[in-house]
Amino acid sequence: MGGRKGPYECGLDAAVDVIGGKWKVLLLWALAQGPRRFGQLRRELPGISEKVLAQQLRELEADGIVHREVFAQVPPKVEYALTGLGTSLNEALTPLGAWGRQHMAHLEATHGQRHPDAV
Amino acid sequence: MGGRKGPYECGLDAAVDVIGGKWKVLLLWALAQGPRRFGQLRRELPGISEKVLAQQLRELEADGIVHREVFAQVPPKVEYALTGLGTSLNEALTPLGAWGRQHMAHLEATHGQRHPDAV
DNA sequence: CCGTATCCCACAGGATACTG
DNA sequence: CAGTATCCTGTGGGATACGG
């Protein structure tokens, strides 16, 4: 991401800029369960492409939300984990998640015309 | 909006789908101060076009976040206000806003390469 | 004053193939 | 395994003009 119009106005827009990617919150959600490897995340987010996964991960890393640890060994191993900032973001996100969960049915109905085949 | 990949996973994604528009949170922020008229909102969100303002307002209305009240009179008058659901969303958003405000400087610095001319 | 109708484009993100 | 490199598309959203 990275294309708003000016300086942030109310903090909320800054936060939304961080979590605004299509898979960001799902990523945050997955990483909250514990450190994850690349392929593992790919499996946990069915439908995401490698390019996009790597990309969103790097954006979150650039924002200091996730930490990327490379293990110099073969076969290659890389682990992603939430930083302290990431953890605090997740906590700040909790009420929103609760709100969403509470009104999910309503939201799927109104604004929710996705494609037919559910996953 | 309205284009994810399947059913919602964790509530968080449902919520993000609602506030994911470019101006949505600013709109929410503005409406939290009290009911607003169309032109008033346009003035409070410098840079937004009428099309997009109307559009995002519609989406929020479809999601039951804002209420649109038309006064049958001339000159025309329409007021937008938060619904109960909208208010609860705003409240669920509070911690996130606080988080953003707290780390705004950091975020502007890292992920924040916008265009040169600030507003 | 409060919108809708068009046209247009940048860019996030999908598919696929290839590399260290 | 963990990514790049390319190519391509959908669509959110900007600009502008017109209508009730």
mmCIF file of all heavy atoms in Angstrom, chain A residues 18-67:
data_model
loop_
_atom_site.group_PDB
_atom_site.id
_atom_site.type_symbol
_atom_site.label_atom_id
_atom_site.label_comp_id
_atom_site.label_asym_id
_atom_site.label_seq_id
_atom_site.Cartn_x
_atom_site.Cartn_y
_atom_site.Cartn_z
ATOM 1 N N VAL A 18 -2.334 0.492 7.084
ATOM 2 C CA VAL A 18 -1.476 -0.639 7.427
ATOM 3 C C VAL A 18 -2.188 -1.975 7.198
ATOM 4 O O VAL A 18 -1.608 -2.920 6.686
ATOM 5 C CB VAL A 18 -1.005 -0.547 8.891
ATOM 6 C CG1 VAL A 18 -0.255 -1.809 9.303
ATOM 7 C CG2 VAL A 18 -0.121 0.662 9.076
ATOM 8 N N ILE A 19 -3.453 -2.042 7.582
ATOM 9 C CA ILE A 19 -4.191 -3.298 7.494
ATOM 10 C C ILE A 19 -5.061 -3.381 6.255
ATOM 11 O O ILE A 19 -5.819 -4.326 6.084
ATOM 12 C CB ILE A 19 -5.099 -3.493 8.727
ATOM 13 C CG1 ILE A 19 -6.110 -2.335 8.821
ATOM 14 C CG2 ILE A 19 -4.280 -3.590 9.991
ATOM 15 C CD1 ILE A 19 -7.232 -2.612 9.785
ATOM 16 N N GLY A 20 -4.925 -2.385 5.368
ATOM 17 C CA GLY A 20 -5.826 -2.259 4.236
ATOM 18 C C GLY A 20 -5.627 -3.269 3.118
ATOM 19 O O GLY A 20 -6.450 -3.386 2.239
ATOM 20 N N GLY A 21 -4.516 -3.970 3.090
ATOM 21 C CA GLY A 21 -4.293 -4.950 2.040
ATOM 22 C C GLY A 21 -5.342 -6.045 2.080
ATOM 23 O O GLY A 21 -5.984 -6.266 3.102
ATOM 24 N N LYS A 22 -5.523 -6.697 0.980
ATOM 25 C CA LYS A 22 -6.610 -7.673 0.868
ATOM 26 C C LYS A 22 -6.458 -8.837 1.844
ATOM 27 O O LYS A 22 -7.439 -9.424 2.277
ATOM 28 C CB LYS A 22 -6.680 -8.203 -0.562
ATOM 29 C CG LYS A 22 -7.883 -9.063 -0.829
ATOM 30 C CD LYS A 22 -7.977 -9.409 -2.294
ATOM 31 C CE LYS A 22 -9.201 -10.265 -2.572
ATOM 32 N NZ LYS A 22 -9.271 -10.676 -3.983
ATOM 33 N N TRP A 23 -5.227 -9.166 2.208
ATOM 34 C CA TRP A 23 -5.013 -10.349 3.046
ATOM 35 C C TRP A 23 -4.394 -10.009 4.386
ATOM 36 O O TRP A 23 -4.148 -10.889 5.208
ATOM 37 C CB TRP A 23 -4.101 -11.341 2.329
ATOM 38 C CG TRP A 23 -4.592 -11.760 1.002
ATOM 39 C CD1 TRP A 23 -4.341 -11.142 -0.196
ATOM 40 C CD2 TRP A 23 -5.428 -12.884 0.695
ATOM 41 N NE1 TRP A 23 -4.963 -11.813 -1.213
ATOM 42 C CE2 TRP A 23 -5.636 -12.892 -0.699
ATOM 43 C CE3 TRP A 23 -6.018 -13.877 1.474
ATOM 44 C CZ2 TRP A 23 -6.411 -13.852 -1.338
ATOM 45 C CZ3 TRP A 23 -6.780 -14.850 0.832
ATOM 46 C CH2 TRP A 23 -6.973 -14.825 -0.552
ATOM 47 N N LYS A 24 -4.130 -8.758 4.628
ATOM 48 C CA LYS A 24 -3.399 -8.328 5.812
ATOM 49 C C LYS A 24 -4.004 -8.822 7.120
ATOM 50 O O LYS A 24 -3.298 -9.360 7.967
ATOM 51 C CB LYS A 24 -3.297 -6.796 5.855
ATOM 52 C CG LYS A 24 -2.512 -6.186 4.700
ATOM 53 C CD LYS A 24 -1.054 -6.056 4.970
ATOM 54 C CE LYS A 24 -0.308 -5.444 3.799
ATOM 55 N NZ LYS A 24 -0.548 -3.998 3.667
ATOM 56 N N VAL A 25 -5.289 -8.635 7.285
ATOM 57 C CA VAL A 25 -5.872 -9.020 8.575
ATOM 58 C C VAL A 25 -5.871 -10.539 8.766
ATOM 59 O O VAL A 25 -5.710 -11.033 9.877
ATOM 60 C CB VAL A 25 -7.298 -8.465 8.767
ATOM 61 C CG1 VAL A 25 -7.293 -6.959 8.760
ATOM 62 C CG2 VAL A 25 -8.266 -9.030 7.766
ATOM 63 N N LEU A 26 -6.035 -11.248 7.672
ATOM 64 C CA LEU A 26 -5.984 -12.706 7.756
ATOM 65 C C LEU A 26 -4.576 -13.140 8.148
ATOM 66 O O LEU A 26 -4.376 -14.079 8.924
ATOM 67 C CB LEU A 26 -6.367 -13.322 6.409
ATOM 68 C CG LEU A 26 -7.810 -13.764 6.135
ATOM 69 C CD1 LEU A 26 -8.737 -13.485 7.315
ATOM 70 C CD2 LEU A 26 -8.351 -13.122 4.884
ATOM 71 N N LEU A 27 -3.602 -12.444 7.593
ATOM 72 C CA LEU A 27 -2.201 -12.694 7.928
ATOM 73 C C LEU A 27 -1.960 -12.433 9.409
ATOM 74 O O LEU A 27 -1.351 -13.247 10.117
ATOM 75 C CB LEU A 27 -1.326 -11.761 7.092
ATOM 76 C CG LEU A 27 -0.269 -12.290 6.111
ATOM 77 C CD1 LEU A 27 -0.403 -13.779 5.842
ATOM 78 C CD2 LEU A 27 -0.303 -11.489 4.840
ATOM 79 N N LEU A 28 -2.455 -11.299 9.856
ATOM 80 C CA LEU A 28 -2.301 -10.928 11.264
ATOM 81 C C LEU A 28 -2.932 -11.999 12.139
ATOM 82 O O LEU A 28 -2.357 -12.439 13.136
ATOM 83 C CB LEU A 28 -3.016 -9.591 11.509
ATOM 84 C CG LEU A 28 -2.215 -8.333 11.789
ATOM 85 C CD1 LEU A 28 -0.736 -8.511 11.495
ATOM 86 C CD2 LEU A 28 -2.762 -7.172 10.983
ATOM 87 N N TRP A 29 -4.116 -12.407 11.724
ATOM 88 C CA TRP A 29 -4.861 -13.425 12.439
ATOM 89 C C TRP A 29 -4.071 -14.730 12.534
ATOM 90 O O TRP A 29 -3.971 -15.354 13.600
ATOM 91 C CB TRP A 29 -6.184 -13.669 11.714
ATOM 92 C CG TRP A 29 -7.074 -14.685 12.329
ATOM 93 C CD1 TRP A 29 -7.256 -15.970 11.905
ATOM 94 C CD2 TRP A 29 -7.916 -14.526 13.468
ATOM 95 N NE1 TRP A 29 -8.158 -16.612 12.708
ATOM 96 C CE2 TRP A 29 -8.583 -15.759 13.681
ATOM 97 C CE3 TRP A 29 -8.162 -13.474 14.347
ATOM 98 C CZ2 TRP A 29 -9.485 -15.952 14.725
ATOM 99 C CZ3 TRP A 29 -9.058 -13.674 15.390
ATOM 100 C CH2 TRP A 29 -9.701 -14.891 15.564
ATOM 101 N N ALA A 30 -3.493 -15.126 11.418
ATOM 102 C CA ALA A 30 -2.725 -16.372 11.384
ATOM 103 C C ALA A 30 -1.471 -16.256 12.253
ATOM 104 O O ALA A 30 -1.154 -17.168 13.025
ATOM 105 C CB ALA A 30 -2.339 -16.707 9.942
ATOM 106 N N LEU A 31 -0.784 -15.149 12.117
ATOM 107 C CA LEU A 31 0.469 -14.975 12.862
ATOM 108 C C LEU A 31 0.229 -14.815 14.360
ATOM 109 O O LEU A 31 1.126 -15.033 15.169
ATOM 110 C CB LEU A 31 1.243 -13.772 12.316
ATOM 111 C CG LEU A 31 1.817 -13.979 10.923
ATOM 112 C CD1 LEU A 31 2.433 -12.694 10.405
ATOM 113 C CD2 LEU A 31 2.842 -15.108 10.919
ATOM 114 N N ALA A 32 -0.986 -14.428 14.710
ATOM 115 C CA ALA A 32 -1.308 -14.290 16.135
ATOM 116 C C ALA A 32 -1.302 -15.653 16.821
ATOM 117 O O ALA A 32 -1.109 -15.749 18.042
ATOM 118 C CB ALA A 32 -2.666 -13.617 16.307
ATOM 119 N N GLN A 33 -1.522 -16.706 16.030
ATOM 120 C CA GLN A 33 -1.506 -18.054 16.602
ATOM 121 C C GLN A 33 -0.080 -18.515 16.915
ATOM 122 O O GLN A 33 0.121 -19.517 17.585
ATOM 123 C CB GLN A 33 -2.137 -19.072 15.645
ATOM 124 C CG GLN A 33 -3.350 -18.567 14.872
ATOM 125 C CD GLN A 33 -4.491 -18.163 15.777
ATOM 126 O OE1 GLN A 33 -4.871 -18.924 16.662
ATOM 127 N NE2 GLN A 33 -5.036 -16.970 15.567
ATOM 128 N N GLY A 34 0.891 -17.812 16.368
ATOM 129 C CA GLY A 34 2.285 -18.196 16.569
ATOM 130 C C GLY A 34 3.073 -18.001 15.279
ATOM 131 O O GLY A 34 2.486 -17.681 14.248
ATOM 132 N N PRO A 35 4.379 -18.139 15.340
ATOM 133 C CA PRO A 35 5.247 -17.969 14.170
ATOM 134 C C PRO A 35 4.838 -18.934 13.056
ATOM 135 O O PRO A 35 4.391 -20.047 13.325
ATOM 136 C CB PRO A 35 6.636 -18.329 14.703
ATOM 137 C CG PRO A 35 6.544 -18.118 16.171
ATOM 138 C CD PRO A 35 5.151 -18.473 16.546
ATOM 139 N N ARG A 36 4.978 -18.481 11.833
ATOM 140 C CA ARG A 36 4.592 -19.285 10.687
ATOM 141 C C ARG A 36 5.650 -19.239 9.595
ATOM 142 O O ARG A 36 6.337 -18.243 9.434
ATOM 143 C CB ARG A 36 3.282 -18.752 10.108
ATOM 144 C CG ARG A 36 2.075 -18.963 10.983
ATOM 145 C CD ARG A 36 1.610 -20.381 10.935
ATOM 146 N NE ARG A 36 0.343 -20.600 11.631
ATOM 147 C CZ ARG A 36 0.257 -20.895 12.924
ATOM 148 N NH1 ARG A 36 1.352 -20.969 13.650
ATOM 149 N NH2 ARG A 36 -0.926 -21.128 13.477
ATOM 150 N N ARG A 37 5.760 -20.318 8.861
ATOM 151 C CA ARG A 37 6.665 -20.349 7.723
ATOM 152 C C ARG A 37 5.906 -19.962 6.464
ATOM 153 O O ARG A 37 4.664 -19.952 6.457
ATOM 154 C CB ARG A 37 7.246 -21.744 7.572
ATOM 155 C CG ARG A 37 8.009 -22.176 8.796
ATOM 156 C CD ARG A 37 8.667 -23.496 8.600
ATOM 157 N NE ARG A 37 9.504 -23.529 7.403
ATOM 158 C CZ ARG A 37 10.213 -24.580 7.039
ATOM 159 N NH1 ARG A 37 10.199 -25.682 7.772
ATOM 160 N NH2 ARG A 37 10.952 -24.551 5.947
ATOM 161 N N PHE A 38 6.637 -19.638 5.430
ATOM 162 C CA PHE A 38 6.029 -19.150 4.192
ATOM 163 C C PHE A 38 4.971 -20.100 3.645
ATOM 164 O O PHE A 38 3.815 -19.728 3.434
ATOM 165 C CB PHE A 38 7.116 -18.906 3.143
ATOM 166 C CG PHE A 38 6.631 -18.193 1.916
ATOM 167 C CD1 PHE A 38 6.628 -16.807 1.858
ATOM 168 C CD2 PHE A 38 6.173 -18.905 0.822
ATOM 169 C CE1 PHE A 38 6.189 -16.146 0.722
ATOM 170 C CE2 PHE A 38 5.718 -18.253 -0.311
ATOM 171 C CZ PHE A 38 5.729 -16.875 -0.360
ATOM 172 N N GLY A 39 5.376 -21.336 3.417
ATOM 173 C CA GLY A 39 4.462 -22.310 2.836
ATOM 174 C C GLY A 39 3.259 -22.598 3.713
ATOM 175 O O GLY A 39 2.164 -22.860 3.225
ATOM 176 N N GLN A 40 3.501 -22.505 4.981
ATOM 177 C CA GLN A 40 2.449 -22.723 5.954
ATOM 178 C C GLN A 40 1.365 -21.652 5.814
ATOM 179 O O GLN A 40 0.170 -21.955 5.784
ATOM 180 C CB GLN A 40 3.087 -22.653 7.340
ATOM 181 C CG GLN A 40 2.296 -23.269 8.461
ATOM 182 C CD GLN A 40 3.086 -23.269 9.757
ATOM 183 O OE1 GLN A 40 4.259 -22.863 9.785
ATOM 184 N NE2 GLN A 40 2.470 -23.717 10.833
ATOM 185 N N LEU A 41 1.813 -20.409 5.683
ATOM 186 C CA LEU A 41 0.888 -19.298 5.501
ATOM 187 C C LEU A 41 0.129 -19.458 4.186
ATOM 188 O O LEU A 41 -1.073 -19.207 4.108
ATOM 189 C CB LEU A 41 1.654 -17.968 5.493
ATOM 190 C CG LEU A 41 2.172 -17.513 6.850
ATOM 191 C CD1 LEU A 41 3.097 -16.328 6.690
ATOM 192 C CD2 LEU A 41 1.006 -17.161 7.769
ATOM 193 N N ARG A 42 0.864 -19.911 3.193
ATOM 194 C CA ARG A 42 0.223 -20.085 1.892
ATOM 195 C C ARG A 42 -0.915 -21.090 1.997
ATOM 196 O O ARG A 42 -1.972 -20.936 1.410
ATOM 197 C CB ARG A 42 1.254 -20.561 0.876
ATOM 198 C CG ARG A 42 0.777 -20.484 -0.533
ATOM 199 C CD ARG A 42 1.913 -20.340 -1.504
ATOM 200 N NE ARG A 42 2.867 -21.404 -1.361
ATOM 201 C CZ ARG A 42 3.088 -22.327 -2.315
ATOM 202 N NH1 ARG A 42 2.418 -22.262 -3.428
ATOM 203 N NH2 ARG A 42 3.980 -23.247 -2.137
ATOM 204 N N ARG A 43 -0.700 -22.127 2.769
ATOM 205 C CA ARG A 43 -1.726 -23.139 2.943
ATOM 206 C C ARG A 43 -2.893 -22.634 3.791
ATOM 207 O O ARG A 43 -4.040 -23.011 3.587
ATOM 208 C CB ARG A 43 -1.104 -24.392 3.589
ATOM 209 C CG ARG A 43 -0.772 -25.479 2.573
ATOM 210 C CD ARG A 43 0.095 -26.567 3.176
ATOM 211 N NE ARG A 43 1.524 -26.273 3.053
ATOM 212 C CZ ARG A 43 2.373 -26.195 4.082
ATOM 213 N NH1 ARG A 43 1.953 -26.362 5.316
ATOM 214 N NH2 ARG A 43 3.645 -25.917 3.853
ATOM 215 N N GLU A 44 -2.561 -21.760 4.728
ATOM 216 C CA GLU A 44 -3.620 -21.248 5.606
ATOM 217 C C GLU A 44 -4.465 -20.168 4.941
ATOM 218 O O GLU A 44 -5.524 -19.809 5.463
ATOM 219 C CB GLU A 44 -3.003 -20.706 6.905
ATOM 220 C CG GLU A 44 -2.392 -21.805 7.774
ATOM 221 C CD GLU A 44 -1.965 -21.280 9.136
ATOM 222 O OE1 GLU A 44 -2.632 -20.376 9.657
ATOM 223 O OE2 GLU A 44 -0.950 -21.774 9.673
ATOM 224 N N LEU A 45 -3.968 -19.615 3.841
ATOM 225 C CA LEU A 45 -4.723 -18.593 3.125
ATOM 226 C C LEU A 45 -5.005 -19.069 1.711
ATOM 227 O O LEU A 45 -4.415 -18.572 0.752
ATOM 228 C CB LEU A 45 -3.951 -17.273 3.090
ATOM 229 C CG LEU A 45 -3.986 -16.421 4.354
ATOM 230 C CD1 LEU A 45 -3.157 -16.970 5.468
ATOM 231 C CD2 LEU A 45 -3.572 -14.996 4.029
ATOM 232 N N PRO A 46 -5.933 -19.980 1.576
ATOM 233 C CA PRO A 46 -6.221 -20.564 0.268
ATOM 234 C C PRO A 46 -6.632 -19.479 -0.716
ATOM 235 O O PRO A 46 -7.495 -18.670 -0.417
ATOM 236 C CB PRO A 46 -7.406 -21.498 0.542
ATOM 237 C CG PRO A 46 -7.575 -21.550 2.018
ATOM 238 C CD PRO A 46 -6.918 -20.365 2.591
ATOM 239 N N GLY A 47 -5.959 -19.453 -1.850
ATOM 240 C CA GLY A 47 -6.327 -18.478 -2.862
ATOM 241 C C GLY A 47 -5.296 -17.388 -3.054
ATOM 242 O O GLY A 47 -5.271 -16.717 -4.079
ATOM 243 N N ILE A 48 -4.425 -17.228 -2.086
ATOM 244 C CA ILE A 48 -3.405 -16.192 -2.223
ATOM 245 C C ILE A 48 -2.270 -16.715 -3.092
ATOM 246 O O ILE A 48 -1.932 -17.891 -3.046
ATOM 247 C CB ILE A 48 -2.873 -15.737 -0.845
ATOM 248 C CG1 ILE A 48 -2.100 -14.422 -0.989
ATOM 249 C CG2 ILE A 48 -2.001 -16.811 -0.213
ATOM 250 C CD1 ILE A 48 -1.713 -13.788 0.327
ATOM 251 N N SER A 49 -1.716 -15.838 -3.904
ATOM 252 C CA SER A 49 -0.592 -16.245 -4.748
ATOM 253 C C SER A 49 0.707 -15.972 -4.012
ATOM 254 O O SER A 49 0.758 -15.171 -3.089
ATOM 255 C CB SER A 49 -0.610 -15.466 -6.058
ATOM 256 O OG SER A 49 -0.324 -14.110 -5.835
ATOM 257 N N GLU A 50 1.775 -16.630 -4.442
ATOM 258 C CA GLU A 50 3.062 -16.435 -3.765
ATOM 259 C C GLU A 50 3.510 -14.981 -3.847
ATOM 260 O O GLU A 50 4.037 -14.436 -2.890
ATOM 261 C CB GLU A 50 4.151 -17.309 -4.394
ATOM 262 C CG GLU A 50 3.920 -18.786 -4.275
ATOM 263 C CD GLU A 50 3.616 -19.405 -5.627
ATOM 264 O OE1 GLU A 50 4.139 -18.906 -6.642
ATOM 265 O OE2 GLU A 50 2.829 -20.361 -5.667
ATOM 266 N N LYS A 51 3.295 -14.401 -5.011
ATOM 267 C CA LYS A 51 3.721 -13.022 -5.195
ATOM 268 C C LYS A 51 3.078 -12.111 -4.168
ATOM 269 O O LYS A 51 3.755 -11.354 -3.471
ATOM 270 C CB LYS A 51 3.377 -12.515 -6.591
ATOM 271 C CG LYS A 51 4.008 -11.169 -6.896
ATOM 272 C CD LYS A 51 3.380 -10.489 -8.097
ATOM 273 C CE LYS A 51 2.091 -9.792 -7.742
ATOM 274 N NZ LYS A 51 1.581 -8.938 -8.825
ATOM 275 N N VAL A 52 1.794 -12.224 -4.086
ATOM 276 C CA VAL A 52 1.038 -11.353 -3.191
ATOM 277 C C VAL A 52 1.365 -11.648 -1.725
ATOM 278 O O VAL A 52 1.509 -10.722 -0.923
ATOM 279 C CB VAL A 52 -0.466 -11.475 -3.450
ATOM 280 C CG1 VAL A 52 -1.257 -10.686 -2.435
ATOM 281 C CG2 VAL A 52 -0.773 -10.996 -4.857
ATOM 282 N N LEU A 53 1.530 -12.915 -1.407
ATOM 283 C CA LEU A 53 1.879 -13.256 -0.032
ATOM 284 C C LEU A 53 3.206 -12.600 0.351
ATOM 285 O O LEU A 53 3.303 -11.913 1.369
ATOM 286 C CB LEU A 53 1.963 -14.770 0.140
ATOM 287 C CG LEU A 53 2.404 -15.257 1.516
ATOM 288 C CD1 LEU A 53 1.535 -14.677 2.614
ATOM 289 C CD2 LEU A 53 2.392 -16.788 1.588
ATOM 290 N N ALA A 54 4.201 -12.775 -0.494
ATOM 291 C CA ALA A 54 5.520 -12.196 -0.228
ATOM 292 C C ALA A 54 5.412 -10.683 -0.103
ATOM 293 O O ALA A 54 6.017 -10.065 0.774
ATOM 294 C CB ALA A 54 6.488 -12.567 -1.344
ATOM 295 N N GLN A 55 4.623 -10.114 -0.980
ATOM 296 C CA GLN A 55 4.452 -8.667 -1.020
ATOM 297 C C GLN A 55 3.837 -8.121 0.253
ATOM 298 O O GLN A 55 4.381 -7.196 0.882
ATOM 299 C CB GLN A 55 3.538 -8.376 -2.205
ATOM 300 C CG GLN A 55 3.470 -6.968 -2.668
ATOM 301 C CD GLN A 55 2.609 -6.893 -3.925
ATOM 302 O OE1 GLN A 55 3.065 -7.138 -5.028
ATOM 303 N NE2 GLN A 55 1.331 -6.595 -3.750
ATOM 304 N N GLN A 56 2.720 -8.700 0.647
ATOM 305 C CA GLN A 56 2.027 -8.206 1.826
ATOM 306 C C GLN A 56 2.870 -8.418 3.073
ATOM 307 O O GLN A 56 2.885 -7.595 3.981
ATOM 308 C CB GLN A 56 0.679 -8.904 1.979
ATOM 309 C CG GLN A 56 -0.167 -8.868 0.724
ATOM 310 C CD GLN A 56 -1.429 -8.044 0.847
ATOM 311 O OE1 GLN A 56 -2.051 -7.970 1.900
ATOM 312 N NE2 GLN A 56 -1.799 -7.368 -0.224
ATOM 313 N N LEU A 57 3.601 -9.547 3.062
ATOM 314 C CA LEU A 57 4.472 -9.828 4.179
ATOM 315 C C LEU A 57 5.562 -8.754 4.282
ATOM 316 O O LEU A 57 5.891 -8.278 5.373
ATOM 317 C CB LEU A 57 5.117 -11.200 3.970
ATOM 318 C CG LEU A 57 4.854 -12.373 4.924
ATOM 319 C CD1 LEU A 57 3.729 -12.141 5.906
ATOM 320 C CD2 LEU A 57 4.659 -13.652 4.143
ATOM 321 N N ARG A 58 6.081 -8.354 3.140
ATOM 322 C CA ARG A 58 7.131 -7.340 3.154
ATOM 323 C C ARG A 58 6.602 -5.980 3.580
ATOM 324 O O ARG A 58 7.295 -5.218 4.248
ATOM 325 C CB ARG A 58 7.812 -7.250 1.795
ATOM 326 C CG ARG A 58 9.100 -8.069 1.791
ATOM 327 C CD ARG A 58 9.907 -7.894 0.545
ATOM 328 N NE ARG A 58 9.523 -8.828 -0.485
ATOM 329 C CZ ARG A 58 8.817 -8.530 -1.560
ATOM 330 N NH1 ARG A 58 8.429 -7.289 -1.769
ATOM 331 N NH2 ARG A 58 8.502 -9.447 -2.426
ATOM 332 N N GLU A 59 5.375 -5.695 3.199
ATOM 333 C CA GLU A 59 4.785 -4.425 3.617
ATOM 334 C C GLU A 59 4.594 -4.406 5.129
ATOM 335 O O GLU A 59 4.897 -3.403 5.789
ATOM 336 C CB GLU A 59 3.456 -4.203 2.902
ATOM 337 C CG GLU A 59 3.616 -3.945 1.420
ATOM 338 C CD GLU A 59 2.294 -3.864 0.671
ATOM 339 O OE1 GLU A 59 1.238 -3.886 1.331
ATOM 340 O OE2 GLU A 59 2.321 -3.777 -0.563
ATOM 341 N N LEU A 60 4.105 -5.510 5.655
ATOM 342 C CA LEU A 60 3.917 -5.593 7.104
ATOM 343 C C LEU A 60 5.264 -5.517 7.816
ATOM 344 O O LEU A 60 5.382 -4.932 8.890
ATOM 345 C CB LEU A 60 3.195 -6.896 7.463
ATOM 346 C CG LEU A 60 1.717 -6.958 7.079
ATOM 347 C CD1 LEU A 60 1.143 -8.334 7.331
ATOM 348 C CD2 LEU A 60 0.925 -5.903 7.842
ATOM 349 N N GLU A 61 6.271 -6.082 7.171
ATOM 350 C CA GLU A 61 7.605 -6.034 7.753
ATOM 351 C C GLU A 61 8.131 -4.595 7.759
ATOM 352 O O GLU A 61 8.685 -4.131 8.750
ATOM 353 C CB GLU A 61 8.543 -6.946 6.958
ATOM 354 C CG GLU A 61 9.892 -7.149 7.606
ATOM 355 C CD GLU A 61 10.880 -7.794 6.651
ATOM 356 O OE1 GLU A 61 10.506 -8.081 5.497
ATOM 357 O OE2 GLU A 61 12.041 -7.992 7.053
ATOM 358 N N ALA A 62 7.911 -3.919 6.625
ATOM 359 C CA ALA A 62 8.355 -2.531 6.512
ATOM 360 C C ALA A 62 7.671 -1.653 7.559
ATOM 361 O O ALA A 62 8.260 -0.695 8.054
ATOM 362 C CB ALA A 62 8.062 -2.004 5.109
ATOM 363 N N ASP A 63 6.458 -1.996 7.887
ATOM 364 C CA ASP A 63 5.724 -1.224 8.884
ATOM 365 C C ASP A 63 6.055 -1.666 10.308
ATOM 366 O O ASP A 63 5.486 -1.151 11.265
ATOM 367 C CB ASP A 63 4.214 -1.346 8.648
ATOM 368 C CG ASP A 63 3.768 -0.491 7.472
ATOM 369 O OD1 ASP A 63 4.452 0.502 7.177
ATOM 370 O OD2 ASP A 63 2.734 -0.812 6.852
ATOM 371 N N GLY A 64 6.946 -2.645 10.402
ATOM 372 C CA GLY A 64 7.343 -3.074 11.744
ATOM 373 C C GLY A 64 6.321 -3.934 12.452
ATOM 374 O O GLY A 64 6.344 -4.067 13.674
ATOM 375 N N ILE A 65 5.423 -4.532 11.679
ATOM 376 C CA ILE A 65 4.358 -5.357 12.259
ATOM 377 C C ILE A 65 4.807 -6.805 12.406
ATOM 378 O O ILE A 65 4.464 -7.475 13.358
ATOM 379 C CB ILE A 65 3.098 -5.312 11.368
ATOM 380 C CG1 ILE A 65 2.644 -3.877 11.148
ATOM 381 C CG2 ILE A 65 1.982 -6.139 11.989
ATOM 382 C CD1 ILE A 65 2.316 -3.125 12.392
ATOM 383 N N VAL A 66 5.551 -7.286 11.416
ATOM 384 C CA VAL A 66 6.046 -8.658 11.498
ATOM 385 C C VAL A 66 7.566 -8.683 11.435
ATOM 386 O O VAL A 66 8.196 -7.795 10.855
ATOM 387 C CB VAL A 66 5.465 -9.570 10.373
ATOM 388 C CG1 VAL A 66 3.977 -9.394 10.233
ATOM 389 C CG2 VAL A 66 6.171 -9.339 9.071
ATOM 390 N N HIS A 67 8.109 -9.704 12.040
ATOM 391 C CA HIS A 67 9.559 -9.909 12.009
ATOM 392 C C HIS A 67 9.852 -11.116 11.130
ATOM 393 O O HIS A 67 9.182 -12.134 11.225
ATOM 394 C CB HIS A 67 10.083 -10.156 13.419
ATOM 395 C CG HIS A 67 11.511 -10.557 13.437
ATOM 396 N ND1 HIS A 67 12.529 -9.691 13.112
ATOM 397 C CD2 HIS A 67 12.097 -11.758 13.708
ATOM 398 C CE1 HIS A 67 13.692 -10.333 13.212
ATOM 399 N NE2 HIS A 67 13.457 -11.583 13.562
#
